[in-house]
Amino acid sequence: MAEQKEVPEVNMEQLDRIIAGYRGQKWVLIPLLEEIQHLAGYIPPESIPRIASALGLFPSQVQGVITFYAQLYTEPRGKNIVRVCRGTACHVRGGKTILKLVKQHLGIEEGETTSDMEYTLETIACIGVCALAPNLVINKDTHGNMNPKKVARLFSGR
Ligand code: FES
């Protein structure tokens, strides 16, 4: 059986107040979505029909914008975002193995979040520090010259 995630609760009343502040203004969809994501950590799917109705849009239009912008999410994410570089330089210097090891340590696949909501695992295109390949980024910190020992150290206790 799949492990239950400790998903943080979303205060829908608070979201409704934010949505109401944007009512009737068609061109404010992205700032509204960003504000909701800032508050809740993601855009709860149940807020989409409310947003659409307040702005005079179809829910499919709101969903379309969320899908288009990679930085908008409809699922809760972990406290720490781990991004393994999948650029060419990192790839040829063992990036694939680093990704495999991170997956093993965290027990999740790419695009998933650990059940304790601590980590979300993603991959990223070249982050511009190819000389230090292979690289991974945890939140805003880049970790270069990664190897199995460093991965183990970064995720010790997992
Ligand atoms: S390819 Fe990974 S930093 Fe450039």
Side-chain angles (χ1 to χ4, degrees):
M1 200 171 82
E3 211 176 314
Q4 192 70 34
K5 282 195 176 164
E6 299 165 18
V7 176
E9 254 189 50
V10 175
N11 183 336
M12 286 309 288
E13 271 175 36
Q14 211 174 350
L15 290 198
D16 281 341
R17 273 198 299 277
I18 292 173
I19 294 167
Y22 288 83
R23 184 168 292 283
Q25 305 175 59
K26 257 196 181 116
W27 310 113
V28 295
L29 178 57
I30 292 176
L32 170 55
L33 292 172
E34 283 172 344
E35 190 171 342
I36 290 175
Q37 183 163 285
H38 182 72
L39 177 81
Y42 70 112
I43 297 158
E46 61 268 36
S47 70
I48 293 174
R50 294 155 131 109
I51 295 166
S53 146
L55 302 190
L57 298 166
F58 293 111
S60 59
Q61 290 175 297
V62 177
Q63 183 63 60
V65 168
I66 295 169
T67 307
F68 184 78
Y69 287 94
Q71 67 273 37
L72 297 173
Y73 312 99
T74 52
E75 277 189 23
R77 287 156 49 86
K79 278 186 217 140
N80 301 292
I81 310 298
V82 181
R83 295 185 174 101
V84 179
C85 181
R86 60 176 158 73
T88 309
C90 286
H91 181 80
V92 299
R93 292 177 72 180
K96 212 173 166 188
T97 303
I98 299 303
L99 177 61
K100 193 174 129 196
L101 291 170
V102 174
K103 284 180 183 177
Q104 280 171 6
H105 278 281
L106 298 181
I108 54 173
E109 290 297 313
E110 191 181 334
E112 292 182 347
T113 298
T114 55
S115 57
D116 60 2
M117 303 304 291
E118 279 296 318
Y119 293 97
T120 294
L121 175 60
E122 299 177 343
T123 56
I124 190 169
C126 176
I127 53 170
V129 284
C130 307
L132 301 177
N135 293 296
L136 66 77
V137 181
I138 302 179
N139 302 322
K140 288 181 175 146
D141 299 328
T142 301
H143 300 267
N145 292 316
M146 289 306 298
N147 57 42
K149 263 194 188 153
K150 282 186 172 178
V151 173
R153 218 177 304 135
L154 278 177
F155 300 106
S156 63
R158 298 283 320 169

